[in-house]
Amino acid sequence: MTYSLLYRGFLSSCNYSCGYCPFAKRIESRARLHRDRQSVERFANWIAEQTSDQWKILFTPWGEALTRSWYRTALTRLSHLPQVQRVSAQTNLSCGVRWINDCNLERLSLWTTFHPSEVSAVAFAAKVIELRGQGVQLSVGMVAIPGALSDVDAMRDRLPPDVNMWLNAQQPRRRPFTEDEVARFSRIDPYFPLTLRPERSLGRPCPTGEVSFTVDGDGDMRRCHFVDSVIGNIYTPNWRASLMPRVCPNASCKCFLGTSQLLSTNSASALSNRLALLEH
């Protein structure tokens, strides 16, 4: 069986201070960082033991993880495990990149995000170009903010044509996007309009909790980041018994990581294609 797994541990801090982010410049105690490190190492050890299944793993931390050595170590280790088809991480790319030389680049990918208030487009694009030159698979994302067309255009103009760029509509936002803004953002990311509105999901079949699930620092399993009910724990012998077909219990799904899992809709199909693009 091939499982898609989202890992989100105890880390909830970031070295950036973006105005739209609740984790900006949050500082954590040494005790909490130690707990997070132990949890990440335990998770990597568990994946190493799961040789009867195949895995696609995405680290989706609250904040920035790759400035922490234990996340870089985990990504490096997991990229070399034969049962791991792909290991990815969301990152603002502010960390050093020498550690990537020790990774299996056929299985590593980075979901990088450009934050124009924290780093220049020139510096960010230069690091992206450096990584692409080394053979690193990555995409570049931005939070699309009404009135911020120039920031988005500046980044797209500096990126190599083969680097996919994705845009997520700011939530919440001070004003709606104009028709011109939607059109211009959509020329850069054709799937951008699908991030403007929630997808109705109540009662619809969804493979989360069956072949896709999330894991937190304690090993607790949930269907996705948007359904809080715990369905099991990976550190128990019968963790597979927690996985079964289910329908969505929420009125709507507000993020493409969740919406891309929904079945039998054109929007979900489009978002699934978008999800695949982010990994290359």
Side-chain angles (χ1 to χ4, degrees), residues 41-56:
E41 291 172 351
R42 185 186 186 192
F43 170 72
N45 288 337
W46 183 82
I47 289 290
E49 296 170 353
Q50 308 308 309
T51 56
S52 61
D53 299 300
Q54 293 288 297
W55 297 91
K56 297 178 181 179

Side-chain angles (χ1 to χ4, degrees), residues 30-134:
R30 289 186 179 181
R32 186 174 178 86
L33 290 175
H34 179 68
R35 185 185 182 196
D36 184 62
R37 180 172 192 156
Q38 288 184 314
S39 299
V40 171
E41 291 172 351
R42 185 186 186 192
F43 170 72
N45 288 337
W46 183 82
I47 289 290
E49 296 170 353
Q50 308 308 309
T51 56
S52 61
D53 299 300
Q54 293 288 297
W55 297 91
K56 297 178 181 179
I57 303 165
L58 172 60
F59 288 83
T60 59
W62 289 128
E64 176 55 37
L66 296 190
T67 55
R68 308 295 180 180
S69 63
W70 51 95
Y71 282 93
R72 302 193 298 270
T73 298
L75 285 170
T76 303
R77 180 186 181 190
L78 292 170
S79 75
H80 288 283
L81 296 179
Q83 67 267 35
V84 174
Q85 293 184 0
R86 181 167 301 279
V87 59
S88 311
Q90 297 177 334
T91 175
N92 62 27
L93 211 56
S94 60
C95 66
V97 296
R98 286 186 297 177
W99 61 277
I100 293 176
N101 295 330
D102 296 324
C103 294
N104 179 351
L105 296 185
E106 293 183 357
R107 296 177 185 160
L108 175 74
S109 64
L110 299 177
W111 295 23
T112 74
T113 308
F114 171 55
H115 301 284
S117 65
E118 310 303 307
V119 62
S120 72
V122 172
F124 187 91
K127 185 172 280 190
V128 169
I129 292 169
E130 176 188 356
L131 291 172
R132 288 294 291 135
Q134 296 173 2

Side-chain angles (χ1 to χ4, degrees), residues 72-274:
R72 302 193 298 270
T73 298
L75 285 170
T76 303
R77 180 186 181 190
L78 292 170
S79 75
H80 288 283
L81 296 179
Q83 67 267 35
V84 174
Q85 293 184 0
R86 181 167 301 279
V87 59
S88 311
Q90 297 177 334
T91 175
N92 62 27
L93 211 56
S94 60
C95 66
V97 296
R98 286 186 297 177
W99 61 277
I100 293 176
N101 295 330
D102 296 324
C103 294
N104 179 351
L105 296 185
E106 293 183 357
R107 296 177 185 160
L108 175 74
S109 64
L110 299 177
W111 295 23
T112 74
T113 308
F114 171 55
H115 301 284
S117 65
E118 310 303 307
V119 62
S120 72
V122 172
F124 187 91
K127 185 172 280 190
V128 169
I129 292 169
E130 176 188 356
L131 291 172
R132 288 294 291 135
Q134 296 173 2
V136 178
Q137 302 174 76
L138 54 77
S139 61
V140 172
M142 288 183 66
V143 176
I145 301 172
L149 286 164
S150 60
D151 291 328
V152 175
D153 288 341
M155 177 49 56
R156 180 67 270 181
D157 289 345
R158 287 171 171 79
L159 292 176
D162 66 334
V163 173
N164 179 258
M165 187 170 177
W166 47 275
L167 301 173
N168 286 339
Q170 183 187 30
Q171 301 288 354
R173 46 188 176 268
R174 295 179 179 177
R175 66 164 176 82
F177 290 95
T178 66
E179 290 185 5
D180 179 63
E181 287 171 335
V182 172
R184 289 177 63 181
F185 283 140
S186 299
R187 284 197 290 271
I188 292 173
D189 178 3
Y191 302 117
F192 170 72
L194 298 176
T195 72
L196 291 173
R197 58 189 181 276
E199 180 81 14
R200 295 181 62 183
S201 57
L202 182 64
R204 288 170 51 184
C206 180
T208 59
E210 181 184 7
V211 295
S212 172
F213 59 97
T214 74
V215 171
D216 67 16
D218 289 321
D220 284 341
M221 303 163 62
R222 293 174 175 81
R223 296 184 57 181
C224 69
H225 288 325
F226 318 102
V227 179
D228 196 48
S229 301
V230 175
I231 61 175
N233 189 288
I234 61 172
Y235 301 127
T236 60
N238 64 339
W239 64 269
R240 288 183 182 83
S242 306
L243 302 173
M244 62 188 71
R246 291 176 166 93
V247 297
C248 183
N250 293 343
S252 62
C253 187
K254 299 178 181 179
C255 176
F256 80 89
L257 282 175
T259 307
S260 63
Q261 302 286 346
L262 290 171
L263 302 178
S264 305
T265 70
N266 292 332
S267 294
S269 176
L271 284 169
S272 294
N273 293 336
R274 186 190 195 216

